[in-house]
Amino acid sequence: MTLKPTQQRNGNLVIPGERLGVIEEFIPDAGTYVKDGIIYSKIVGRALMDMLNRKVSVYPLQEGATIPKTGTTIIGQVGNAQSDNVFVNITKVNTRKKKLSGKFGGILHISDESDRYIASMNEVCKPGDIIRAKVISEKNQVYHLSTNDKNLGVIYASCGVCGNLLEQRHPGDMQCPKCKNIEKRKTAPDYGKEPL
Ligand SMILES: [Zn+2]
């Protein structure tokens, strides 16, 4: 059997029995079934190719539900962080009214963050922070994010020492009102104001 490259694009509408990929490339997840090593959709919905976890799933269509796309603004929570990139769990797209069909993750990479030199992603955001970012590409079916725009950045951050919500003294200059710990972030202009 020759392995065809996966032709399904992330977010494509699929119907029951539609081929999504092969088990050599993906772990079949919700809304899929496997026959003879090939993964098919079990339902009508949107295919989600999660290249970070190598999972494929199909999310049922919901009225008004949406998926992240290049150019859209998202709200997400920072997960695993390394010095040059962080993983972001995307929780909202554009307006708060729109539900997300499925769980989506994205990557924020240091090279997409600023025109000036940044030593570490620690200066931008930390695990647990809520950020507003833009989807800058879906290359290799991974959502690549950036906060390099005036309206983007961290909107909520908690203290690395005690977990209390950080207050912003000057743009990017954060202090914990409880333990007085000082930290840095790349904040959005409306830090602490966006209703969650
Ligand atoms: Zn603190």
Side-chain angles (χ1 to χ4, degrees):
M1 187 178 79
T2 45
L3 298 182
K4 277 193 210 162
T6 300
Q7 284 161 9
Q8 290 296 339
R9 293 277 300 140
N10 211 8
N12 268 14
L13 201 59
V14 294
I15 56 168
E18 196 161 333
R19 181 194 160 116
L20 300 170
V22 293
I23 52 173
E24 284 85 354
E25 51 177 351
F26 288 114
I27 302 162
D29 206 6
T32 69
Y33 68 92
V34 177
K35 199 180 165 199
D36 300 329
I38 297 171
I39 307 167
Y40 298 95
S41 177
K42 204 155 58 178
I43 56 172
V44 175
R46 290 199 187 276
L48 170 61
M49 276 56 177
D50 180 350
M51 300 308 284
L52 294 173
N53 300 305
R54 306 211 66 84
K55 276 184 186 169
V56 62
S57 47
V58 180
Y59 284 95
L61 285 185
Q62 291 174 41
E63 187 87 26
T66 187
I67 62 158
K69 286 199 181 77
T70 302
T72 57
T73 301
I74 63 96
I75 302 286
Q77 184 164 33
V78 179
N80 285 343
Q82 277 157 6
S83 62
D84 64 348
N85 70 80
V86 300
F87 181 80
V88 178
N89 292 301
I90 299 172
T91 53
K92 287 169 193 164
V93 172
N94 278 339
T95 63
R96 289 191 295 281
K97 288 168 204 134
K98 287 212 168 178
K99 284 180 286 187
L100 268 181
S101 46
K103 288 179 189 161
F104 299 89
I107 292 280
L108 197 63
H109 195 273
I110 198 164
S111 62
D112 295 320
E113 272 315 294
S114 178
D115 304 326
R116 68 175 182 91
Y117 174 76
I118 304 173
S120 163
M121 282 304 281
N122 264 337
E123 296 178 23
V124 178
C125 58
K126 287 184 181 169
D129 287 357
I130 308 293
I131 64 165
R132 185 187 301 117
K134 197 167 66 184
V135 180
I136 54 170
S137 89
E138 296 167 59
K139 201 177 162 196
N140 301 323
Q141 307 196 352
V142 171
Y143 290 112
H144 297 270
L145 308 174
S146 170
T147 63
N148 189 17
D149 202 347
K150 60 180 186 303
N151 294 319
L152 306 177
V154 173
I155 52 175
Y156 284 99
S158 53
C159 172
V161 176
C162 75
N164 203 70
L165 205 62
L166 291 173
E167 281 175 2
Q168 184 164 239
R169 300 185 302 175
H170 304 287
D173 192 2
M174 322 297 290
Q175 187 171 33
C176 175
K178 207 168 155 191
C179 75
K180 306 296 173 201
N181 176 39
I182 289 170
E183 299 192 21
K184 279 202 180 307
R185 294 292 195 281
K186 193 266 176 201
T187 50
D190 58 344
Y191 175 83
K193 296 193 181 92
E194 165 113 5
L196 291 178

